Amino acid sequence: MSNDAEAALIDRDAAHLIHPLHNRAVHAQGKVWVGGEGAYLVDANGDRYIDCLSGLWNNTAGNGRTELIEAATRQMHELAYASGYTGSSNPRAIELAERLSRITYPNINHFYFTSGGGESTDSNIKMARYYWKLRGKPEKTKVVSRVWGYHGVTLAAMCCTGMSPYWKMFEPRIPGFVHIPTPYPYRYEAPAGSASQGIAAANELEQKILEEGPETVAMFIAEPVQGAGGVIVPQDDYFPRIREICDQYDVLLVSDEVITGFGRTGKMFGLQHWGVEPDLMQFAKAITSGYFPLGGIGVSDAIAEVMLESGEPWMHAYTYSSHPTGCAIALAMLGIIEGEDFPAQAASKGHRLLAGLKTALGDHPHVGDIRGLGLMCGVEYVKDRATKEPFDANDSVGPRIHAATVERGMFSRVRGDVYCLAPPIVTPEQTIDDSVSILADATRAVLG
Ligand SMILES: Cc1ncc(COP(=O)(O)O)c(C=O)c1O
């Protein structure tokens, strides 16, 4: 294809399409993807790129997986769609719920399906409020989440998301959504005399619950490893202390596993790293490797029992809940995840990626932090390594590094000046090494 093919498509795109995070200036330099080959994307000019964010953290199995394509085709021939509303079900949704109850946390055995992550956040907020009403505590409605947390952008999910640029043009936010600082090992400053940084960061939750009044707080939602906020891996003592606080004040712990679920961090689910069980969980993305929009929530036995015995309908519904085609693809995907041991692959390839980044960039004067868990890593660029002073946003360091990687055949995303790497779990080791070389080369090109 000619080099003008992509530019011509971008012109047509600009005339009629509105994009997520629509930004005309950014989009003018956009890519138009026409093909996918395993861990690579192909643009409209025919050029190949390493898909260093697995699409949007979701396509862990890579492109062209016939198991997923055939599961979709088979199911569409058999029954493309059926309602999942109460009074209707389908075998694939039943099988998927059974299978999830075997692989998620032992106390999580009940599932409600959605079309993605944001809908799952809303579903968990409504499940938590419904539960506390059934328990005779209707005033427990507030939601605590964290700065740099990302939980989607439906209005309620947006209020959980802890990044103010997502709110600015949509205020006012829903009352009763509050944020605490994040356990950011590189930047969190624990008060003097704290037992540890992780305990201090967890105690921020206790302080917020006490400030708001425990009788008003319904839930705390957190990603085991923050993804879109810049790959922030918590300290090992953080989540065990969070669990204690939630138990002490009767606050439900919601694990947002939309990115960390199904192997990405080197365990099947993120909180397994620290031996912690949530009360509610949510997932999306990798459950279908992005081949179909499917997500869901997992509900603990204790909450489900209250729900099932109440006789009070849960008046919450999506047309595409329990979509048979989505569930069929998810079942085929679980076959891949278990058959190819995605958690083990992510652990070993993630180790290789992190070690490679540290070797290639660890001494660079503008690389402040290199971090990761499993196959999700982040490189944080700073103006001054000694003081951790960030670059001025007007320097556009993150976007310039991103542009330099695109020129060198790799595509991902940045959060400010943090470059995120979360390639498909099937990525060959040579490609992992290539992604390190490309980022190192791009870094030198932009920052010397
Ligand atoms: C942790 C987390 N939760 C929720 C969401 C929202 O998912 P969706 O974009 O499918 O609504 C995302 C999306 O990146 C996410 O990373």
Side-chain angles (χ1 to χ4, degrees):
M1 261 185 248
S2 89
N3 277 346
D4 296 336
E6 189 167 54
L9 282 165
I10 284 284
D11 278 350
R12 284 171 55 201
D13 173 300
H16 298 288
L17 256 175
I18 296 173
H19 292 269
L21 309 182
H22 197 85
N23 179 328
R24 200 170 173 180
V26 171
H27 200 69
Q29 320 299 322
K31 305 291 310 162
V32 179
W33 305 113
V34 300
E37 298 163 6
Y40 289 81
L41 293 168
V42 181
D43 74 6
N45 292 329
D47 295 326
R48 258 162 64 103
Y49 293 78
I50 297 173
D51 182 9
C52 202
L53 205 66
S54 311
L56 282 173
W57 314 86
N58 50 355
N59 193 355
T60 54
N63 291 287
R65 297 301 299 238
T66 48
E67 305 92 316
L68 305 181
I69 298 161
E70 282 167 8
T73 310
R74 240 187 347 263
Q75 185 58 43
M76 283 182 172
H77 277 294
E78 195 177 307
L79 170 71
Y81 172 78
S83 163
Y85 275 42
T86 201
S88 263
S89 195
N90 72 79
R92 295 303 94 73
I94 295 166
E95 288 156 22
L96 182 59
E98 283 171 350
R99 195 134 170 203
L100 286 171
S101 84
R102 289 201 289 276
I103 64 166
T104 54
Y105 302 93
N107 65 325
I108 302 275
N109 292 299
H110 306 267
F111 300 90
Y112 169 78
F113 296 116
T114 69
S115 304
E119 283 186 359
S120 302
T121 303
D122 283 39
S123 299
N124 266 331
I125 295 166
K126 290 172 81 174
M127 180 58 81
R129 289 183 169 188
Y130 166 90
Y131 169 76
W132 288 119
K133 284 180 175 47
L134 292 177
R135 290 276 315 272
K137 298 185 177 180
E139 64 289 358
K140 271 176 103 60
T141 59
K142 289 182 187 166
V143 176
V144 186
S145 58
R146 303 179 298 178
V147 176
W148 293 122
Y150 187 82
H151 304 287
V153 292
T154 62
L155 194 61
M158 176 197 89
C159 295
C160 294
T161 288
M163 292 181 247
S164 59
Y166 286 95
W167 313 332
K168 189 175 135 204
M169 297 307 290
F170 309 109
E171 298 274 12
R173 280 168 288 147
I174 303 169
F177 285 74
V178 293
H179 297 89
I180 58 171
T182 198
Y184 198 151
Y186 182 57
R187 294 200 175 274
Y188 179 75
E189 286 181 18
S194 305
S196 73
Q197 196 195 35
I199 299 289
N203 285 342
E204 301 271 359
L205 175 61
E206 179 173 47
Q207 206 178 313
K208 184 59 80 179
I209 292 171
L210 292 172
E211 230 172 81
E212 297 290 327
E215 69 289 353
T216 69
V217 180
M219 61 181 257
F220 171 63
I221 183 167
E223 302 153 82
V225 177
Q226 283 165 286
V231 188
I232 301 171
V233 186
Q235 304 81 359
D236 285 339
D237 50 1
Y238 179 77
F239 274 109
R241 174 70 188 131
I242 287 284
R243 180 69 271 180
E244 275 176 16
I245 295 167
C246 287
D247 289 342
Q248 185 177 349
Y249 297 101
D250 255 358
V251 168
L252 300 178
L253 173 56
V254 182
S255 187
D256 184 345
E257 305 256 5
V258 165
I259 288 178
T260 54
F262 307 105
R264 169 65 72 190
T265 67
K267 300 266 186 208
M268 193 62 96
F269 294 97
L271 294 184
Q272 289 170 341
H273 283 282
W274 305 288
V276 169
E277 281 186 359
D279 301 297
L280 294 164
M281 66 179 295
Q282 56 193 59
F283 49 84
K285 296 194 187 274
I287 190 171
T288 57
S289 205
Y291 282 55
F292 193 92
L294 182 94
I297 66 169
V299 177
S300 73
D301 293 328
I303 295 173
E305 194 184 317
V306 172
M307 173 180 204
L308 301 175
E309 293 198 345
S310 73
E312 182 67 46
W314 190 48
M315 295 303 287
H316 179 69
Y318 298 123
T319 294
Y320 296 118
S321 183
S322 291
H323 196 297
T325 304
C327 292
I329 297 170
L331 283 164
M333 182 62 192
L334 289 180
I336 293 175
I337 291 166
E338 292 184 315
E340 298 177 15
D341 201 348
F342 269 20
Q345 280 202 62
S348 79
K349 291 178 186 174
H351 188 74
R352 187 181 185 100
L353 177 59
L354 191 62
L357 291 168
K358 285 184 172 166
T359 306
L361 286 166
D363 293 333
H364 193 283
H366 291 297
V367 172
D369 193 29
I370 300 173
R371 52 187 181 251
L373 187 64
L375 208 42
M376 57 191 295
C377 295
V379 177
E380 181 158 348
Y381 295 95
V382 288
K383 188 168 176 185
D384 185 329
R385 208 170 137 116
T387 62
K388 305 185 184 177
E389 183 193 345
F391 282 106
D392 192 299
N394 292 327
D395 292 340
S396 297
V397 167
R400 281 161 53 213
I401 302 251
H402 175 256
T405 60
V406 174
E407 277 168 24
R408 289 162 176 77
M410 181 161 89
F411 197 82
S412 183
R413 284 181 65 76
V414 287
R415 184 277 279 165
D417 294 337
V418 181
Y419 191 91
C420 302
L421 302 97
I425 291 173
V426 297
T427 304
E429 289 186 345
Q430 181 58 53
T431 308
I432 301 266
D433 298 345
D434 292 346
S435 67
V436 171
S437 307
I438 289 175
L439 186 60
D441 200 27
T443 301
R444 284 189 291 271
V446 173
L447 296 171

